[in-house]
Amino acid sequence: GTMELSRGDEVRHFKGGLYRIDGHATCSETQRSMVVYTSLQDGRTWVRPLKEFGERVTRDGYDGPRFVKMSQ
């Protein structure tokens, strides 16, 4: 399902990386809701469709959510 994400929330990717949510955006090409987020390890900023944040991932023996919210 769709995660509720707010600016400043911290999330952990299933591969272990920690990220801070910077905000939301709309893709100019597709009008999809996007999330802007920054790695707490190296400071790189990324954008990903909001719906992917709550998606289940089954890969390399892992079966669970793509991201887990760390801050409530």
Side-chain angles (χ1 to χ4, degrees):
T2 301
M3 288 178 78
E4 291 290 328
L5 294 169
S6 300
R7 185 184 185 100
D9 284 348
E10 292 182 1
V11 295
R12 181 174 43 81
H13 188 262
F14 78 96
K15 293 179 182 175
L18 295 172
Y19 298 88
R20 183 190 63 247
I21 304 301
D22 296 327
H24 295 268
T26 301
C27 178
S28 63
E29 300 294 317
T30 65
Q31 304 300 305
R32 289 170 83 185
S33 294
M34 309 294 282
V35 176
V36 182
Y37 61 109
T38 299
S39 168
L40 296 178
Q41 277 85 27
D42 63 16
R44 289 180 72 187
T45 298
W46 301 86
V47 64
R48 176 187 290 270
L50 174 60
K51 74 174 195 65
E52 291 185 9
F53 272 79
E55 280 183 341
R56 185 167 210 84
V57 173
T58 304
R59 185 182 306 162
D60 301 326
Y62 175 80
D63 182 19
R66 183 182 307 274
F67 288 91
V68 174
K69 200 158 141 181
M70 305 300 289
S71 52
Q72 296 303 322

